[in-house]
Amino acid sequence: MDNILFANQGFNLEELLRNEPSVMIVADRRALPEITAFDLNRRLFRVDATEENKSLEMVARIAGWLIENDFTKDSLLVGIGGGIVTDLTAFIASVYKRGTRYALVPTTLLAQVDASIGGKSAVNLCGVKNVLGSITIPEWVLIDDKYLNTLPREQLHNGMAEMIKSFVIKDRDAYEGFMELISGCKGEVDPSDVSLRSFIERAIRIKCEIVENDRYEKGERALLNFGHTLGHCIEAVANGEGNGIMHGEAVGAGMMFSLWLSAREGVCRPDEAAAIAADLCKVGYRDERELMRENREKLLHYVRNDKKCNKDFINFAFVRSAGDAVIRRIGMTSLCEAVDEYIKCSELW
């Protein structure tokens, strides 16, 4: 976690940039009030943070801007915004002149606990989420909880799904404590709550430890895909239909499927899987099976084209119990059949 800097430990953006001879910033338009104070307007690229802009076309536009402004390998590229901006910035830094220095300032809960941590970058292509990407580690990531006070409830809810994911796969005590916190306020947690900050740091630590042990996803890092295999497919289907489901909501639905499959395969006791799924429902996540049923063919198409698929199988994150997950190989045909069975079930548990 050496490159993760916390504002509550005294780090701030202005100090971090002060000694850099050349800085260029890619920023979500909504983050501009924070960064215009540094008189960096001439070195700002403003991005509307939408999935449509998380594309090769946007990569080309930003790369052209870097060329026009004489960005060199000694310069620092800084991404300020949510997961779309941090993913874009990291991807561009990984390919521009075969790799340049970059840093991130995640401004959403989702980006702070997941998107900006671990060095993964990605853009979308042909409707498939994150199908192009690379792994490259940033110089630093600044975690500043002041941004959370500006987020609407749905953005906090979006990020909490990734925190729950981390706790389910690695830390039962954190899972139980976090669920108690957010269940007590019906999922509408106060962003200034000191307890939330503690759980954010625990979620970041879990991801950092997994990444440090398995940077290129040869084994343990696949645990971080819990809920994402089907979740990304649900997100792609929903966005294609104009339903606008958020990433965290899709991951919540994906986690419910993974819990059901874990019970079906005998990896997890059915009562344990059902209890975790019930916790997810309590704080506002849904299984989204109606959406999946209505878009079955599209959904299965996205499942078959999952970027994590290796020939005819995928390394899938199963849950044994809260805080204990395991990676097991499952054939893509078997996975598609399981998805089909899941969306047709009249009762899950």
Side-chain angles (χ1 to χ4, degrees), residues 76-116:
L76 181 70
L77 184 65
V78 181
I80 303 178
I84 290 173
V85 171
T86 59
D87 269 5
L88 263 175
T89 303
F91 183 81
I92 293 161
S94 73
V95 296
Y96 186 82
K97 295 188 177 181
R98 297 179 182 170
T100 57
R101 300 168 60 232
Y102 79 101
L104 301 173
V105 184
T107 60
T108 65
L109 180 58
L110 178 67
Q112 289 188 359
V113 300
D114 184 59
S116 69

Side-chain angles (χ1 to χ4, degrees), residues 103-132:
L104 301 173
V105 184
T107 60
T108 65
L109 180 58
L110 178 67
Q112 289 188 359
V113 300
D114 184 59
S116 69
I117 307 298
K120 278 189 177 180
S121 69
V123 293
N124 307 331
L125 184 68
C126 298
V128 181
K129 187 174 173 68
N130 296 343
V131 71
L132 298 179

Side-chain angles (χ1 to χ4, degrees), residues 37-80:
F38 303 138
D39 193 27
L40 292 170
N41 280 318
R42 66 186 178 87
R43 290 171 289 175
L44 277 177
F45 190 99
R46 299 164 175 82
V47 176
D48 290 317
T50 64
E51 288 293 336
E52 290 75 20
N53 280 339
K54 192 176 172 182
S55 64
L56 287 177
E57 289 79 8
M58 182 58 70
V59 169
R61 286 179 58 192
I62 296 174
W65 172 73
L66 294 177
I67 292 170
E68 290 171 4
N69 287 276
D70 301 318
F71 188 83
T72 71
K73 289 177 71 71
D74 293 327
S75 303
L76 181 70
L77 184 65
V78 181
I80 303 178

Side-chain angles (χ1 to χ4, degrees), residues 110 154-155 157-162 227-228 235 245-255 280 285-286:
L110 178 67
E154 58 267 23
Q155 280 290 351
H157 198 243
N158 194 29
M160 288 192 300
E162 291 288 357
H228 286 64
E235 190 175 1
I245 188 171
M246 299 186 79
H247 175 74
E249 295 170 332
V251 168
M255 287 192 283
L280 290 168
Y285 300 105
R286 303 189 300 266

Side-chain angles (χ1 to χ4, degrees), residues 170 206-214 220-221 224:
K170 272 293 183 182
I206 287 169
K207 182 160 186 179
C208 285
E209 288 173 354
I210 290 174
V211 169
E212 286 167 6
N213 291 333
D214 181 22
E220 184 185 19
R221 185 166 182 162
L224 295 169

Side-chain angles (χ1 to χ4, degrees), residues 7-22:
N8 61 16
Q9 295 174 357
F11 294 98
N12 69 77
L13 182 58
E14 188 170 7
E15 289 292 332
L16 289 167
L17 297 184
R18 180 167 292 159
N19 295 324
E20 290 288 343
S22 175

Side-chain angles (χ1 to χ4, degrees), residues 299-317:
L299 181 74
L300 293 176
H301 166 76
Y302 286 126
V303 171
R304 287 189 287 267
N305 286 279
D306 188 286
K307 67 182 182 296
K308 299 179 289 298
C309 175
N310 187 350
K311 292 184 179 178
D312 60 349
F313 69 88
I314 190 168
N315 291 320
F316 195 85

